[in-house]
Amino acid sequence: MPDRPTSPWPLPLPPGEEPLMPPLSVWPTGQRDPLAQLRDAGCVPGTETDTERIPPAVAAHAIALYSRPGDLVLDPDCGAGTALVEALRAGRHALGLTARTRWWTLTRANVTAAKTAGAWRDGSVLDARPKVLATVRAAGLIGRVGLVLTALRTAPADPNNQASGPDRDPVESALADLAATLLYCEPLLRSGGHVAVIARPFRHPDGSLVDLTSRLIAAATAAGLAPVERCIALTAGLRGSRLVTRASLAERRAAARARAAGAPTALTAHHEVLVFQLAHDAELAAATAAGIPWPTEDDVIRPAVNGVTYPGWRRAA
């Protein structure tokens, strides 16, 4: 496989056509506060410093819904490793990548803690960037991953890197990085596998929300994936008909400053979860539901990804 993707991003849509929006569902994943979730998962001290981590309750819910025991769960930008911990606890194999030494150390400690607590599946973390998934080093993973579970992560500006320099918007940079990551991950999915992207809300300087949904769907479509579900993973607790926000002190102060400046801002109460499948899998499911015959000849292949064609009906189950 080549070292970098060659498909354009974002995928241009025909004039006047809106991106397809998948069905919406709500996950009650905010019943425990963030620190309690980390304690319940057995995460090591310091995990809470990863402010862009996937909440353990959200990771556990996604793993239960979109993978099966014995599957391989991949987080190509794993941070402190909460998704890997929940995968191991659920009886899945887990593989994470991170290029930051701090997160690699924490993730390794969390994986070790999960195994010590009784998780018997294989779990590991590589000190590498997601693009390693598009090299020959990852050839053994093609068609083997049951779930790619990752978060939209921003990164500190690197003055030595023009692509992520101080003038580059961190959200735009994060979206571009995730678009490339999806291209790297697509060939690794087994037939029937899923990709779940967790995105916390981001705001423009004027306080308005960034439209992440259509951007992420466009990026996934360019990678040969099809949206199948759009979910709201609550980070606020449900108390009858009320939501109890669990915003951090910094978030509360930012909201107070916005109100004082005349731009009322609501506290964050959820993360958005976008779920994708291989495009040919989604088409097959739709055809089956509609009673439309689907070709199964051996010569049916998937479109080329990164310049390489993969047999669409010879995937590892």
Side-chain angles (χ1 to χ4, degrees):
M1 287 181 287
D3 283 338
R4 57 188 302 172
T6 56
S7 299
W9 182 86
L11 182 71
L13 293 171
E17 183 175 330
E18 296 294 328
L20 177 66
M21 292 297 174
L24 181 68
S25 62
V26 178
W27 298 355
T29 48
Q31 297 300 87
R32 299 275 284 168
D33 68 73
L35 293 181
Q37 289 186 36
L38 294 178
R39 290 195 298 270
D40 293 344
C43 292
V44 301
T47 306
E48 72 282 355
T49 61
D50 180 10
T51 57
E52 296 184 310
R53 66 185 180 272
I54 300 176
V58 176
H61 198 87
I63 290 165
L65 282 180
Y66 303 114
S67 69
R68 58 198 187 199
D71 266 349
L72 173 59
V73 176
L74 167 67
D75 186 346
D77 192 2
C78 65
T82 50
L84 306 189
V85 169
E86 291 302 330
L88 292 171
R89 283 162 46 90
R92 278 69 164 167
H93 301 288
L95 173 63
L97 282 74
T98 180
R100 298 187 63 186
T101 303
R102 177 186 184 187
W103 296 149
W104 181 85
T105 302
L106 276 172
T107 302
R108 188 177 181 187
N110 277 325
V111 167
T112 300
K115 291 181 178 180
T116 301
W120 61 273
R121 294 292 184 178
D122 180 49
S124 57
V125 56
L126 303 180
D127 182 10
R129 298 185 183 277
K131 70 178 182 181
V132 75
L133 299 173
T135 69
V136 70
R137 292 175 60 188
L141 295 177
I142 293 175
R144 292 188 54 201
V145 175
L147 173 64
V148 176
L149 177 60
T150 195
L152 178 66
R153 287 177 169 271
T154 57
D158 181 359
N160 298 319
N161 185 345
Q162 186 176 1
S164 61
D167 296 331
R168 181 73 181 272
D169 181 270
V171 177
E172 291 295 325
S173 181
L175 286 165
D177 288 344
L178 184 57
T181 298
L182 293 177
L183 279 167
Y184 302 139
C185 290
E186 191 271 354
L188 309 184
L189 278 182
R190 65 165 173 80
S191 185
H194 292 83
V195 175
V197 178
I198 317 296
R200 62 188 178 90
F202 287 94
R203 294 185 181 275
H204 293 292
D206 63 2
S208 60
L209 286 171
V210 178
D211 176 17
L212 298 176
T213 303
S214 59
R215 304 287 296 279
L216 290 172
I217 290 176
T221 303
L225 302 168
V228 294
E229 192 168 4
R230 179 189 178 195
C231 308
I232 297 300
L234 293 178
T235 56
L238 282 171
R239 297 293 183 270
S241 60
R242 295 178 57 247
L243 284 177
V244 180
T245 58
R246 304 191 186 281
S248 66
L249 180 60
E251 291 173 325
R252 293 179 185 276
R253 286 175 173 171
R257 288 194 297 269
R259 285 194 296 269
T265 300
L267 292 172
T268 299
H270 74 279
H271 290 350
E272 186 161 7
V273 185
L274 291 170
V275 183
F276 305 93
Q277 280 189 297
L278 295 167
H280 78 277
D281 280 350
E283 291 168 3
L284 175 58
T288 301
I292 301 173
W294 190 263
T296 58
E297 291 81 2
D298 289 340
D299 60 348
V300 175
I301 60 172
R302 293 168 51 204
V305 177
N306 293 338
V308 180
T309 56
Y310 299 95
W313 305 103
R314 300 173 186 170
R315 310 284 300 222

